Amino acid sequence: MGMLHHVSLGTADLNRARAFYDLVMRELGLRRTLDVEDAVGYGAGITVFSLNIPADGKPASAGNGVHLAFEVEARSAVDAFHAAALAQGGVCEGPPGLRPEYDANYYAAFVRDPDGNKIEAVTFVAS
């Protein structure tokens, strides 16, 4: 049994988050699994990732040095994730490509969502 159940990031605008993540998460094989007044979530069955309006009522802010990585099964999924994110208003933080400083087959792309949260798609598949 794993210890990590889900991860949540803050958003200032749930409608904008839905529009961005519905398409981006689809490229990772995830779908919307939660949609309530203050949160939207994604998963393959249960919710593993969500965007929430902060419970304290203060503005959402991206964490400095924080990012979430989603593992996928093919380099083409990394490419599709990156393209979908940019098409939905995301900002490139590192285009798809090898990162041999991490592993010879570490192929990843990094983006910031419209709230400034940094997310990554990664695969270790050799080609």
Side-chain angles (χ1 to χ4, degrees):
M1 176 182 286
M3 292 176 57
L4 186 63
H5 184 271
H6 70 274
V7 175
S8 298
L9 296 176
T11 183
D13 184 334
L14 275 174
N15 288 329
R16 183 181 65 194
R18 280 184 198 97
F20 180 85
Y21 281 101
D22 280 357
L23 295 174
V24 172
M25 291 292 108
R26 183 173 54 211
E27 298 300 341
L28 301 177
L30 303 176
R31 62 178 175 77
R32 194 184 314 168
T33 54
L34 173 73
D35 198 347
V36 295
E37 182 179 340
D38 61 348
V40 61
Y42 300 87
I46 63 167
T47 300
V48 296
F49 172 67
S50 66
L51 291 301
N52 300 61
I53 299 293
D56 65 4
K58 295 180 183 174
S61 61
N64 186 18
V66 174
H67 85 273
L68 298 181
F70 295 91
E71 188 171 3
V72 295
E73 295 182 8
R75 291 182 180 186
S76 60
V78 171
D79 298 342
F81 155 87
H82 188 260
L86 297 184
Q88 291 302 310
V91 176
C92 179
E93 285 285 323
L98 287 169
R99 301 325 195 261
E101 62 273 27
Y102 302 130
D103 181 273
N105 294 317
Y106 197 108
Y107 187 89
F110 299 83
V111 298
R112 289 211 183 259
D113 73 9
D115 285 296
N117 297 305
K118 189 173 182 181
I119 55 176
E120 169 189 4
V122 61
T123 188
F124 292 89
V125 175
S127 60

